[in-house]
Amino acid sequence: MNAVKVGLLGLGTVGGGTATVLLKNAAEIARRAGRDIKVDFAATLDLGMAKQLGLGDDVRLTTDAFEVVNDPEVEIVVELIGGYSPARELVLQAIDNGKHVVTANKALIALHGAEIFARAEEKQVMVGFEAAVAGGIPIIKAIREGLAANRIQWIAGIINGTGNFILTEMRDKGRDFAEVLKEAQQLGYAEADPTFDVEGIDAAHKLTILGSLAFGMPLNFDATYTEGISKVSQLDVQYAGELGYRIKHLGITRRTDKGIELRVHPTLIPERRLIANVDGVMNAVLVQGDAVGPTLYYGAGAGDLPTASAVVADIVDVVRYMAIDHEHRVPVMGFKTAAIEEMPILPMEDVETGFYLRMKAVDRPGVLAEITRILSEQEISIEAFLQKEPSEGETEVNIIMLTHKVIEGRMNTALAQIEALDVITEKVTRIRWESLK
Amino acid sequence: MNAVKVGLLGLGTVGGGTATVLLKNAAEIARRAGRDIKVDFAATLDLGMAKQLGLGDDVRLTTDAFEVVNDPEVEIVVELIGGYSPARELVLQAIDNGKHVVTANKALIALHGAEIFARAEEKQVMVGFEAAVAGGIPIIKAIREGLAANRIQWIAGIINGTGNFILTEMRDKGRDFAEVLKEAQQLGYAEADPTFDVEGIDAAHKLTILGSLAFGMPLNFDATYTEGISKVSQLDVQYAGELGYRIKHLGITRRTDKGIELRVHPTLIPERRLIANVDGVMNAVLVQGDAVGPTLYYGAGAGDLPTASAVVADIVDVVRYMAIDHEHRVPVMGFKTAAIEEMPILPMEDVETGFYLRMKAVDRPGVLAEITRILSEQEISIEAFLQKEPSEGETEVNIIMLTHKVIEGRMNTALAQIEALDVITEKVTRIRWESLK
């Protein structure tokens, strides 16, 4: 049988990795897929890159990606350009041309997934996006197929490698956020503009996708609460450690009686949890199903070859199922289109978590009594407490508390009152904590 | 569309769990599968069990499992009886009758998989066995599909929950093997006859399956080296800890230039590795692919509902693909049948690992010199060393060494010579160690 012809959009990090994996593992992949899979046409702004990657002379090259999506020979279009535009236009055009699409583009899926999936359904083609969440970890397949028996209860994931690298370095080496960020940029882990990574937007894209996969609801990027790690201080990393916790940047989605939680923020987790020990640039996703209980998936969340691993797995799936009726294929989000349901997204004020609080207070009798009175009025109880004497040259103490679970709205009320006390000299630091049980 | 009719063989732990999940999550499963899935006929020796599980009056019951596999209405037979016979006969009969089969039976697949898969290929039906390895963790799907882009390099797994529970308790509570085993039996984690669990046979069944899935080779249970944990002593758990290691019972399969390793044995692993922190009855499988790097999959390896999670996921897969041509379905072992290749299995003498050694020696000058001379003659170098003074009432010291990697045959030669020394008073304890890098 003829080789399946793939059109690659982009020969950058992931595109180059994909070309490399398809070449290097061609024999092993054919043993699995039952057909050869070949890059037939590639769009790149750097035509010399194709040579460098070892793509043969028989691979057609262009600088115009639309040529690839409009080419009659190409059967699968692999979009690895990233960003919203022209990725969206290219993908839609490919679908309109009846081609199957594989993409690693989380921003595209999180924001334009609904449009893309609807068009693909209409044209009866597949859209694979395993590489869009947690790089090489086959987490989309695990949730969509491997855990199909379960009502998923919640998912919590370390889904941004750059953020995890920074928090790990801050903890292991006692360094400050800004310093580690700079190093991450030098190492190529973080972009020149690190906003997407450190402010949680990248993680929010991925969490949006995980939430829809878990519960069978539309993609809700706009409703995802997003808080980055740029305000996490060395002090908090240390105190969290003293209390037996690690700070991780988590994406969390949870089904509750009142609605679905969708939130990305720094989170204290007990240090004995496996996911608390996922360090450096590695990713991990914890999925709690009602039948299976907790399961965890760990691996490289970025990088050329790991991401290509997911891209090529999607290509193999497309090759396996390209000849069958669309209705028998796994639905793109794991649920039949007709079964996708709008679900209310819980506003952050109604989300219940524990809190780590750090307050700077004048060292004077009665301060603690005032704070605890305010907390108890909001029915917030304290699980652990540390008081740190002033460091040299300072006159204020640091009061650190870990509270039991409370609705965020109540915590907001309590903190407003605490911050209004004249003994409290700066804004209270608060980081949510989760037991992940 | 009519509900898909499932025939359940066995309503014990996993059978009961499967019935429960299919009932409890019927709505969610139908949202995913696009059809209702219903237990139509169940074979059980305890007819009262069906009522207890809440199966309705419309579910037919029998004490003769062959009635189910021969029933014309049943479309998917789910074998949850376990053991070799009559499970083998039932599964083959079901296949001959053109029914798809789902099973949780690792012993059956490890020993009779070749026969069963050949018959299924002939009859163009599917055989699902996700639940046979690592319970609820979707590890079969991850390797077979999620990592399809990779040449798998090695797999190392904690794939027996009972064994992991025992080793965890020995470490956490300082208790002895025999004592913890007894407790595990009382808790229902270990069978009255614990041989399969503690002597590694259960793990070897699972590893056999993982090896074939990883490399696309026939099932090789007979060639799997199997060593249990019954000889692991409290002393070794402690000394391993002092050296920065944990002892885990691992199944390891690795591709080397000289052949495939297939081995189950207690193993020291560095305590900072994620898998070293997988405790209690939980399972975890570490898979190293050439593109993706290391990935880890963690969850409950046993139990009614977790195992049912995997069984029902297989049922959903069967429902999704039952109407398509057999050639387009994922091959049962991930590789096309024609691409399955015999590969040489490396004899244990040729396997290379590091070793933990514990020697009891008369406390006399020159002993260490003799031991190190013998080791160095076999080109075995020492990475770490501990000497423990005699405990009260004893006159011998315990010498503990961690060696660099060496071919097992050389270690055998060295140990025979060491044990022949008259200062060495008992058989040397040796436990392999792996960096898992």
Side-chain angles (χ1 to χ4, degrees), chain B residues 92-317:
Chain B
L92 290 173
Q93 182 75 44
I95 293 170
D96 282 340
N97 289 334
K99 299 182 194 313
H100 304 287
V101 170
V102 172
T103 177
N105 191 332
K106 46 251 170 190
L108 181 70
I109 297 297
L111 270 83
H112 301 294
E115 179 185 23
I116 291 166
F117 299 156
R119 195 76 68 91
E121 183 89 5
E122 193 186 311
K123 293 287 176 178
Q124 310 256 296
V125 296
M126 287 172 272
V127 178
F129 52 95
E130 180 65 78
V133 182
I137 307 172
I139 186 66
I140 307 277
K141 188 174 278 283
I143 298 170
R144 196 178 53 188
E145 303 166 40
L147 302 180
N150 291 266
R151 239 173 106 83
I152 303 292
Q153 295 165 318
W154 54 263
I155 294 177
I158 297 173
I159 46 182
N160 181 276
T162 309
N164 202 39
F165 172 80
I166 293 173
L167 290 174
T168 303
E169 289 288 300
M170 286 175 73
R171 182 180 150 267
D172 284 359
K173 315 246 169 87
R175 295 160 70 194
D176 278 324
F177 173 82
E179 189 188 337
V180 182
L181 172 59
K182 206 166 158 190
E183 189 200 337
Q185 288 171 316
Q186 282 158 357
L187 287 169
Y189 294 157
E191 308 285 333
D193 174 2
T195 314
F196 267 45
D197 288 326
V198 303
E199 296 308 339
I201 301 160
D202 175 75
H205 286 146
K206 295 165 179 168
L207 182 72
T208 300
I209 299 171
L210 290 176
S212 296
L213 277 168
F215 308 121
M217 64 179 188
L219 292 153
N220 273 304
F221 177 70
D222 290 341
T224 302
Y225 173 79
T226 307
E227 186 183 318
I229 58 168
S230 57
K231 294 196 189 72
V232 175
S233 76
Q234 179 50 233
L235 219 48
D236 296 317
V237 171
Q238 276 175 39
Y239 293 153
E242 287 184 36
L243 292 163
Y245 290 78
R246 305 229 171 127
I247 301 178
K248 293 290 179 186
H249 197 202
L250 293 188
I252 298 173
T253 182
R254 188 190 307 261
R255 192 198 297 260
T256 77
D257 292 341
K258 293 175 287 176
I260 304 285
E261 298 175 5
L262 271 175
R263 48 193 172 98
V264 171
H265 52 70
T267 315
L268 271 75
I269 37 184
E271 65 192 1
R272 280 211 60 165
R273 296 274 177 284
L274 213 52
I275 195 168
N277 294 283
V278 170
D279 286 334
V281 295
M282 302 305 276
N283 281 15
V285 182
L286 191 49
V287 183
Q288 174 87 18
D290 67 344
V292 75
T295 58
L296 180 128
Y297 309 83
Y298 161 92
D304 54 351
L305 298 183
T307 310
S309 170
V311 168
V312 174
D314 272 347
I315 297 175
V316 171
D317 265 0

Side-chain angles (χ1 to χ4, degrees), chain A residues 142-158:
Chain A
I143 298 170
R144 196 178 53 187
E145 302 166 41
L147 302 180
N150 291 266
R151 239 175 106 82
I152 304 291
Q153 294 165 317
W154 52 264
I155 293 177
I158 296 173

Side-chain angles (χ1 to χ4, degrees), chain A residues 201-219:
Chain A
I201 301 160
D202 175 75
H205 287 146
K206 295 163 178 169
L207 182 71
T208 300
I209 298 171
L210 290 176
S212 296
L213 277 168
F215 308 121
M217 63 180 190
L219 292 153

